[in-house]
Amino acid sequence: MASLSIEKTHDRSGDGSTSDGGKITITNPSNGRRAGEVDVYARDQVEGVVERCRDAQVYWGALSPNQRGQLLRRYRDFLLDARDEIAETVASETGKPLAEVFAAEMMYVCDGIGYWSKKGGRYLADRRFSPHLLKTKVPMTTYKPRGVIGMITPWNFPFLLSIGEAIPALMAGNGVVIKPSSTTPLSAVLGARIAEEAGLPKGLLATVTGRGNVGWDLIDFVDMVSFTGSVEVGRKIQIKCAEQLKPSTMELGGKDPMIVCRDADLERAANGCVWGALSNSGQVCLSVERVYVDESIHDEFVRRVVSKVGELRQGLPNEDVDIGSMTSESQLRIVETQVEDARSKGAKVLAGGRRVAGREGLWYEATVISEVDDSMQLMREETFGPVIAIQKVKDENEAIERANDSNFGLSASVWSKDKVGAMNIARRIEAGAVCVNDHMIHMMIPEVSMGGIKESGMGHRHGAEGIRKFCQEQTLVIDRFGMKKEALWYPGMKNRARIFRRLLNVLFRSGLRNKLWG
Ligand code: NAD
């Protein structure tokens, strides 16, 4: 057992909420009012939830992928019936506009159910191989559910990253127990409740709520851990999983660069930058966090970005707005600290740059900063807030060098009218995904992998690995002809050395003459 007693009670995400004994009160970040409350699960309660999930999984895992897909599509209909309640719940604990809940969180989950229920069966089907050497054998790979997957999830997309993440795991035949962030647990709790109403086996998709120590306990009881969150917490969880030899996937933080080449379509690039950096108030792991712009177009690009940011409306979830509040007080403080650090080191704040004065809730102005450099926290550490930091570079080589000079490697983007040239730049960037003339859109394309390199994580969402990671891979080998004896079986050692010595040469030596006579 890891000696992490301090971390057991630590929860970076819990600071926006207050714990009252056995309850946590959730605060609406857009108005400071109470949004709801959840129980704090004790260790034995966590164990009980996992045991009930395990029981439900036995039935669920025995269904065919087709049957599971049907039930998940029924679940989707129930989610759609409840879409207003879901949107209001997500908005009440995150402060994001309702439009963002429908367009991002719910779109991802509903599309994911369609995608995994249709394609999941194909990814999970037995794969038969034709061996290159041992032609008398029929090998195949099969995929079996792991059992119960523990999902520890963050606050920035509380529905998408909990319920959406659970779909491929369920489709693979597992049960799922989610430990949502203590800042935003209501969305996952609601999603699990609707699953039961839709007829999924009771307890198959469950939640345990509380702070980090609840997630820490959950690890002990599940068969695999799927973690999405910060590098700091992910590292500790992976150490614990390693000690228990338990599989885990880590989807961690990012510091995504955007490279704007001299031949970029400036209007598209500026629009993409504003959206990529400010959607969800910049609280996206894939947010544009560093913008490197060729010096020949830098000033015009900055002018356009500042003008577009000036037109944005910030406000309450149900108003006609582009940007909502931030979600977590501690994150807002990180943004303030980084912007002040940049300002004190000579960066120019061209728009925003401070907490919205006199407004109840967690409001930070949409901010544009230029003349930043690598000495500033803003260009080194994850900001996770509504800030666009723009740095002038002399050419694409400098942009690539700066983009790669980071501990993170989640995603990136390149903006240029020359798509071939942009692809060549993309291949040189150290990131799990790079978009050309777009940003972070790969997250909405489940056919391709989404995951980070370097400190941004291990493992991938989406594609074949996005569902097979939730499976135990088993190899089956069947003998084809049923002969009484194989070449290696006993007895028969006498001539074997001579025969195999010769065979090695015939099989592997280059050149026919050498094969036969060497
Ligand atoms: P966090 O790491 O503080 O918390 C994530 C989850 O871990 C929460 O549920 C929290 O309660 C739990 N936790 C905290 N301490 C724990 C412990 N010791 N043991 C077990 N569980 C523990 O992250 P956050 O602040 O909620 O989320 C923001 C971070 O998540 C950012 O770094 C962001 O980039 C990252 N993120 C990554 C992705 C991705 O796909 N790569 C997606 C979204 C967010």
Side-chain angles (χ1 to χ4, degrees):
M1 177 66 66
S3 56
L4 290 175
S5 53
I6 296 171
E7 289 79 7
K8 282 191 75 171
T9 52
H10 163 81
D11 185 349
R12 274 175 30 125
S13 64
D15 53 320
S17 322
T18 50
S19 174
D20 177 23
K23 301 271 184 205
I24 291 177
T25 301
I26 316 307
T27 306
N28 183 328
S30 65
N31 58 19
R33 297 198 199 120
R34 181 183 180 282
E37 71 174 21
V38 290
D39 294 328
V40 175
Y41 278 62
R43 185 178 168 83
D44 60 337
Q45 291 175 306
V46 174
E47 186 175 15
V49 171
V50 174
E51 283 317 309
R52 282 191 289 284
C53 182
R54 209 172 276 295
D55 291 343
Q57 188 275 330
V58 173
Y59 164 79
W60 180 253
L63 297 179
S64 70
N66 198 20
Q67 290 168 317
R68 293 198 287 265
Q70 272 176 20
L71 284 163
L72 287 174
R73 285 194 296 277
R74 183 180 148 85
Y75 175 38
R76 181 171 61 183
D77 288 339
F78 276 66
L79 291 174
L80 288 170
D81 288 345
R83 62 190 182 278
D84 290 327
E85 186 186 358
I86 294 170
E88 276 154 27
T89 302
V90 175
S92 77
E93 59 182 358
T94 60
K96 65 178 79 182
L98 291 178
E100 274 192 356
V101 187
F102 289 126
E105 304 234 19
M106 289 211 64
M107 183 68 80
Y108 180 89
V109 174
C110 293
D111 180 56
I113 290 176
Y115 178 77
W116 293 114
S117 66
K118 194 165 162 209
K119 292 282 172 62
R122 203 173 304 166
Y123 288 133
L124 298 172
D126 293 353
R127 289 161 75 207
R128 208 170 146 145
F129 298 88
S130 171
H132 70 285
L133 183 61
L134 297 181
K135 299 287 186 196
T136 61
K137 310 297 165 195
V138 183
M140 63 178 76
T141 299
T142 66
Y143 299 95
K144 301 199 290 194
R146 289 187 184 276
V148 177
I149 313 294
M151 289 191 171
I152 304 176
T153 62
W155 48 259
N156 60 331
F157 285 92
F159 191 68
L160 185 162
L161 290 170
S162 52
I163 302 301
E165 189 72 357
I167 300 304
L170 291 170
M171 190 57 206
N174 299 286
V176 174
V177 177
I178 300 167
K179 205 306 275 177
S181 166
S182 54
T183 305
T184 57
L186 304 174
S187 309
V189 170
L190 176 61
R193 193 197 82 202
I194 296 171
E196 277 194 22
E197 289 166 4
L200 263 61
K202 199 169 162 48
L204 181 77
L205 175 60
T207 52
V208 288
T209 46
R211 299 183 192 284
N213 54 325
V214 176
W216 192 253
D217 285 338
L218 177 65
I219 297 167
D220 292 326
F221 305 117
V222 295
D223 302 300
M224 175 187 179
V225 175
S226 166
F227 175 76
T228 306
S230 64
V231 175
E232 178 195 352
V233 175
R235 185 175 278 124
K236 288 166 193 158
I237 290 179
Q238 203 176 26
I239 290 170
K240 177 163 176 172
C241 289
E243 283 179 346
Q244 299 185 11
L245 292 176
K246 198 163 273 185
S248 63
T249 56
M250 296 285 139
E251 303 286 351
L252 309 178
K255 189 74 194 164
D256 281 11
M258 165 178 185
I259 295 178
V260 188
C261 301
R262 69 180 52 145
D263 64 349
D265 175 336
L266 280 192
E267 188 60 13
R268 181 170 175 85
N271 279 325
C273 174
V274 172
W275 172 76
L278 301 184
S279 59
N280 205 33
S281 284
Q283 302 164 120
V284 186
C285 54
L286 303 162
S287 285
V288 168
E289 294 236 342
R290 299 175 285 154
V291 189
Y292 298 113
V293 187
D294 189 283
E295 60 186 7
S296 61
I297 46 137
H298 173 271
D299 293 355
E300 176 57 16
F301 177 81
V302 170
R303 190 190 67 71
R304 290 189 195 212
V305 167
V306 171
S307 145
K308 289 172 194 306
V309 167
E311 289 166 17
L312 298 179
R313 290 148 306 167
Q314 197 171 29
L316 295 169
N318 57 358
E319 293 173 347
D320 180 20
V321 292
D322 305 293
I323 311 179
S325 70
M326 288 190 67
T327 301
S328 140
E329 171 64 30
S330 70
Q331 200 61 47
L332 197 154
R333 286 203 211 116
I334 290 171
V335 174
E336 285 182 312
T337 305
Q338 290 192 9
V339 170
E340 284 324 305
D341 172 71
R343 211 193 299 257
S344 72
K345 289 174 179 162
K348 261 196 189 162
V349 178
L350 304 173
R354 54 184 55 83
R355 192 188 277 253
V356 176
R359 182 164 195 177
E360 189 68 37
L362 306 178
W363 298 90
Y364 195 86
E365 295 172 344
T367 298
V368 184
I369 304 187
S370 69
E371 298 184 28
V372 292
D373 64 44
D374 286 352
S375 72
M376 301 169 187
Q377 293 168 13
L378 202 52
M379 297 304 273
R380 310 294 315 168
E381 293 161 24
E382 191 175 43
T383 305
F384 225 58
V387 180
I388 303 175
I390 306 174
Q391 183 165 4
K392 191 189 285 182
V393 290
K394 88 174 173 297
D395 57 20
E396 62 194 43
N397 286 326
E398 184 187 345
I400 295 167
E401 197 178 310
R402 291 192 183 283
N404 288 342
D405 182 19
S406 170
N407 291 341
F408 295 103
L410 195 52
S411 91
S413 58
V414 182
W415 301 73
S416 163
K417 285 185 194 141
D418 171 10
K419 290 183 191 152
V420 175
M423 291 290 280
N424 287 335
I425 294 173
R427 287 176 206 279
R428 292 169 61 194
I429 294 177
E430 295 162 6
V434 186
C435 297
V436 171
N437 296 329
D438 211 325
H439 195 89
M440 66 176 154
I441 198 65
H442 62 292
M443 179 69 184
M444 301 302 273
I445 309 174
E447 285 82 357
V448 290
S449 119
M450 185 262 160
I453 60 170
K454 300 184 183 173
E455 291 189 0
S456 289
M458 299 179 81
H460 296 265
R461 289 196 180 94
H462 302 165
E465 195 196 327
I467 188 163
R468 289 182 184 150
K469 70 183 177 184
F470 295 119
C471 298
Q472 281 170 4
E473 197 172 307
Q474 186 181 46
T475 298
L476 299 179
V477 180
I478 307 156
D479 178 61
R480 196 189 285 263
F481 299 120
M483 291 183 306
K484 296 292 174 224
K485 198 167 154 269
E486 296 279 330
L488 279 177
W489 293 2
Y490 305 118
M493 297 301 281
K494 200 169 157 203
N495 294 324
R496 217 169 270 166
R498 189 175 52 79
I499 293 170
F500 274 92
R501 181 177 178 280
R502 186 75 190 273
L503 190 61
L504 278 173
N505 213 46
V506 171
L507 289 176
F508 304 120
R509 175 81 68 189
S510 320
L512 188 62
R513 176 187 293 259
N514 291 336
K515 272 182 190 289
L516 295 176
W517 309 114

